[in-house]
Structures are given as C-alpha cells and as structure tokens.
Amino acid sequence: MTDVTPLPFDLPAIQRKKLTVDFEGGNQSSDAGLLLLREAERRLGVCRRLADAMPDRRDQSRIRHEMVELVTARAFAISCGYKDGNDLDRLRHDPLLKLAVGRAPESGAPLASQSTISRLENAPRKTDAARLAGALVDQCCAHVTPGAEEILDIDDTFCAAHGGQQLAFWNAHHNERGFAPMHVYHVASGTPVVAILRPARTPRGTEVRTVIKHLTKRIRSHWPTTHLIWRGDSHYGRDEALAWAESNGAGYIFGFAGNSVLDSLVAETAQTLRFRHALSTEDKMRCYASFEYQAKSWSKPRRIVARLEVSLQPDDRDSRGGMRQELDIRYVVTSMEGSAQHLYKEVYCKRGQMENLIKLHKAQLASDRTSCHGATANQVRLVLHTAAFWLMHAVRSAIPETSPLAKAEFQTIRDRLIKIGARVVEHIARIRIHLPTSCPERVLFKQIALGLMPSGP
C-alpha cells in the first residue's frame, strides 16, 4: 500500500445503533458546484482568454501544466472560496477540480501545486499585466450586447497591505498602509470591466484621465457606435478627465465637492425650501436645481446639478430634546441632458449599486489578498479574482428569475450551489458524478447546469 488509510472508529450510538466512521467512501469532492463553474467557463472563455494573453516563457519541453490549466484552476479555486495559492497544494488531487480543468478525476495527473501557482502570479512583467487588463476589457465587450448609450461606473476601495509591498501607501482615513484598486463596471450587466492596482491615495486628475482615455478607446474599438458615459464620485470629477471626455465625445456625471460659491448660487432656492418645510408637516423635503458654473481651474463653464434637502434633526444644544432644521446640499457635474431631478435621482444615485459589486469582488471573492511583494504580481492576482467574478456572475445569471437565488450574493450561491459533496467514479468510457440524494437544490442545480451548456448538438 502506498497510501496510509486511517482505521475506522466508533462514535456514540444513535437509537441503540452503533455509529462507525471510516474513510472508504470513495473518491469524493466537497465542491460539486465546480461542474457549474466548468460550464460557465465553457460559455465565457474568460480563463482561456487570459491564458492566451499571458506569455509563456517556460521551457516547453518540461511543462506539465498548460497555462490555461493554471489560470483555470486558480480562478475556480477562488470561486469556491479558496483564497490563496497555498490551497492548491490540497486541491491539486481534488477529483472535481481536476475534471473541471480538463483532466480525468482519477487517472489524470495531479494539478499544479502552490509553487507553480506562485510562479504564475510572479512571472508576468508590467507589459504582461497591462495585456491581461486589456483582455478583461475585451472579455466584457465580447459578452455584453451594447445599446446606443452605456454607463460605466468607476470607483476605488481600500485594501490593507500585508508587509513591505510595492505601491503600498499610508492612508490616514484607514490609519494603515495599503492599496486602493480602481474598479470599473458595466452598469447594465453588472459585469467587471477592469481592476487596476494603485496606491491608497486620492487619484490625481491626470491619473483619472489616463484610465478613462485608454478604456474609452479600447471599448470603442469593440463598440464604435455606442455613446459611453462615465459615472463616479467627486474625486473622479477632475478637470483633466472632464476636458478629455468633452473633447472625445464621451459623457460624464460625477459628484462635485461643494464650496461657498456654489452655496451662494443656490441660496435663494435653499431659503425657499426652508420656508416651505417650516410650513409643512413633513419631516423631510427635497428640491433640485441646475445651473452653469466655471471653477477657476476650468477652461469653460459646465453644468452643475444640486440636490437640496431640509430635514428635522435632534438639537444637541437643547436639553429638552428639541429638533432643529438642517440643510444638506449635494452637487453633481455632468455633460448629460435632462431634468435636474432625473439626473441626480435616477442616474447619479444608482451609482451606489457599484458598492455592492465591489463588495462581491473584494469581500466575497477575497480580491483584497494582494499579499505578493511585487506590484505586478498583485495586479495579476486582481485579474484572476476578476475572472472568478465573471464565473460566479455567469452562474447567478443562469438561475431562473423566479428563484430566490437569482439575486443572491456570491457567498450565498457558494453555500447553496458550490459547496455540495459529490462522489466521483471514473470508468473506462464514462465518468459518473453522484450528488447527494438529499441535496436541497438538486432541481435548480440541474437547471443551471443544462442552462449553461451551449445550445445545439
């Protein structure tokens, strides 16, 4: 015998029946949902696209693991909740992960180990990482059907550093060093366009302009007739980015920091709103205004949309627990046409959905595990986690709209559809996957698996 099999052991009896446990259940996996991820990859081809974009400088005569196998195994593992490359040391013998990557579950050779995965993340150069980011943009454009007008959300999120890593920057708000990766999402589909590693500081106007310029040009090469609109909060509404968008036919709607000049322009509207609120019985009242404004650093005036809100708030200075009237004003700079209320309420405020997408990317797919020393390696990790986002998004999109899981978060989908035990039996001419008879989502599992399969014979 080459493997040491633990002996059976007994546990306390159940209803006078002996309870014996052994390790002879056959070749099993705890991630039957890898079958769904495999079909999602077959439909999307995101892992293959990334593998094709990553140069393979290894000695081809000594290769045991193809580039597409490495990328696919890593993205599948991330989707299943295995955050680090170290997990591949345990998973390389998992029968369903082997099957999902394209190897026979029992007779096939083991998958790549942690050291090989580590070399995968650290081998690319800066130009290779840029090529991978471009491949993500191409992935979005190839699998999203564009309309006449499409909105792209841009934002960043803080990720703590785990040591002396390149590009790590001190962030006073979070009181630690880290990164602030820039995320871009296609609004209508909720799919990621790209994720870019950067220091944990507010982006400069030239940086925002560079990102918007390169992404706009790349997307237009796929969608030449689509009008692109960029949407983000106030630290993306930089003059350099706005000027480039105006000169190149792109639209924008960004938050804009208030100042005394803007406040004076809406002072009369604010006073009227205060008066109306004082005469009413409502706790809160809103109104909207729109006007032209030119900052000192701007070369031309631009449209500003203001949202004014008056509400009753507890008065801390009143010991009797009285209320006082509070005024809150928010500003937006935009090139779009339409009423002020529509632009702010129906267009700009829906930017909040991006926070949920970033949470899926960062918290539920662990894209904040940027723990490599080199910045390029951490950028490659962001790309691999984005590939996992595409796979999980495809699985969720295949769920019927009538199912409660149709809008579930990735963690819920992982718990309900991915983390299912399965027994794998490999015969000469067939591989059988035995799922639990008591599987609570067996009907839905079958629907998704068949729904992700390509149509036709």
Side-chain angles (χ1 to χ4, degrees):
M1 294 180 63
T2 56
D3 297 328
V4 178
T5 303
L7 296 175
F9 59 94
D10 292 334
L11 292 178
I14 300 293
Q15 295 185 354
R16 299 184 179 181
K17 295 183 180 180
K18 292 184 178 180
L19 180 58
T20 301
V21 181
D22 61 39
F23 296 90
E24 298 177 1
N27 206 9
Q28 298 191 29
S29 172
S30 61
D31 300 301
L34 282 164
L35 297 171
L36 305 181
L37 296 173
R38 173 178 177 265
E39 296 305 319
E41 167 58 21
R42 291 181 63 203
R43 167 174 286 193
L44 295 174
V46 58
C47 295
R48 182 165 294 279
R49 185 186 296 271
L50 294 177
D52 292 341
M54 188 180 297
D56 193 350
R57 301 182 179 89
R58 299 175 294 173
D59 184 352
Q60 299 299 310
S61 63
R62 306 177 67 179
I63 288 179
R64 296 182 179 179
H65 311 282
E66 298 293 335
M67 185 64 71
V68 66
E69 293 181 335
L70 299 178
V71 175
T72 304
R74 185 73 170 102
F76 282 178
I78 293 170
S79 301
C80 292
Y82 303 105
K83 305 175 183 179
D84 300 311
N86 296 345
D87 297 317
L88 271 296
D89 278 339
R90 299 183 289 112
L91 297 173
R92 62 196 304 248
H93 300 285
D94 187 285
L96 277 182
L97 184 57
K98 290 167 65 176
L99 183 149
V101 171
R103 299 194 175 192
E106 295 182 359
S107 61
L111 299 176
S113 63
Q114 175 273 331
S115 56
T116 305
I117 296 298
S118 180
R119 286 190 290 269
L120 168 72
E121 297 173 346
N122 286 272
R125 303 165 183 171
K126 289 183 179 180
T127 53
D128 302 334
R131 191 178 295 111
L132 288 172
L136 285 179
V137 180
D138 296 339
Q139 176 71 24
C140 179
C141 294
H143 288 274
V144 172
T145 302
E149 184 176 88
E150 297 293 343
I151 300 177
L152 300 173
D153 273 338
I154 183 169
D155 203 354
D156 54 71
T157 182
F158 180 79
C159 298
H162 302 279
Q165 291 141 300
Q166 296 175 353
L167 286 188
F169 197 85
W170 177 263
N171 186 284
H173 177 74
H174 295 276
N175 199 32
E176 58 182 327
R177 296 172 67 253
F179 311 98
M182 189 179 295
H183 292 247
V184 179
Y185 290 87
H186 177 250
V187 171
S189 63
T191 54
V193 178
V194 74
I196 305 171
L197 187 75
R198 52 178 304 281
R201 64 188 179 201
T202 302
R204 301 185 179 93
T206 53
E207 181 183 357
V208 178
R209 179 186 61 193
T210 299
V211 172
I212 288 179
K213 177 179 72 173
H214 286 291
L215 289 180
T216 300
K217 290 182 176 180
R218 184 116 186 181
I219 294 172
R220 278 179 175 168
S221 66
H222 297 274
W223 302 345
T225 61
T226 299
H227 179 57
L228 299 179
I229 297 176
W230 289 91
R231 185 171 67 181
D233 62 16
S234 58
H235 62 266
Y236 284 92
R238 305 291 185 174
D239 179 52
E240 295 88 343
L242 304 183
W244 187 92
E246 292 163 348
S247 302
N248 292 271
Y252 59 81
I253 179 166
F254 293 109
F256 193 73
N259 55 49
S260 57
V261 176
L262 292 174
D263 292 343
S264 64
L265 292 175
V266 297
E268 184 177 348
T269 304
Q271 186 64 26
T272 301
L273 182 63
R274 283 180 179 274
F275 182 74
R276 289 173 50 209
H277 180 261
L279 295 178
S280 72
T281 58
E282 299 181 19
D283 292 337
K284 183 185 300 183
M285 291 187 69
R286 283 184 177 183
C287 71
Y288 301 85
S290 176
F291 52 89
E292 294 290 317
Y293 168 75
Q294 182 175 357
K296 292 182 180 180
S297 60
W298 290 0
S299 59
K300 56 180 289 189
R302 296 186 172 101
R303 185 183 184 188
I304 299 294
V305 171
R307 188 273 286 158
L308 298 87
E309 179 180 280
V310 175
S311 61
L312 292 177
Q313 300 294 332
D315 190 351
D316 298 333
R317 297 168 297 181
D318 190 345
S319 60
R320 296 173 296 178
M323 306 291 285
R324 70 174 185 273
Q325 197 180 58
E326 286 287 340
L327 174 66
D328 179 63
I329 307 177
R330 301 295 174 92
Y331 298 100
V332 168
V333 58
T334 181
S335 64
M336 301 177 65
E337 297 180 354
S339 67
Q341 180 174 349
H342 172 77
L343 290 177
Y344 188 89
K345 186 176 179 180
E346 302 299 330
V347 180
Y348 180 74
C349 284
K350 291 186 177 180
R351 188 190 67 83
Q353 174 61 18
M354 187 181 183
E355 302 292 339
N356 296 327
L357 299 178
I358 291 178
K359 181 179 71 172
L360 296 178
H361 198 291
K362 175 183 173 181
Q364 300 188 19
L365 292 177
S367 64
D368 60 342
R369 307 287 282 191
T370 45
S371 55
C372 294
H373 171 71
T376 304
N378 284 323
Q379 173 61 41
V380 174
R381 280 196 171 190
L382 276 179
V383 170
L384 294 173
H385 285 269
T386 306
F389 190 109
W390 269 99
L391 296 173
M392 293 295 288
H393 184 275
V395 172
R396 185 174 66 179
S397 299
I399 299 175
E401 294 184 0
T402 55
S403 172
L405 295 180
K407 296 183 179 180
E409 295 186 341
F410 289 168
Q411 183 61 51
T412 303
I413 293 176
R414 182 185 296 141
D415 293 340
R416 301 279 291 275
L417 295 172
I418 304 296
K419 293 297 182 181
I420 300 175
R423 183 183 178 190
V424 183
V425 180
E426 180 181 346
H427 302 288
I428 295 177
R430 183 186 295 271
I431 298 172
R432 289 190 178 275
I433 311 297
H434 298 280
L435 299 182
T437 305
S438 59
C439 177
E441 304 292 349
R442 55 184 178 179
V443 175
L444 180 60
F445 190 98
K446 180 179 178 180
Q447 284 181 315
I448 298 173
L450 297 179
L452 286 170
M453 288 180 61
S455 60

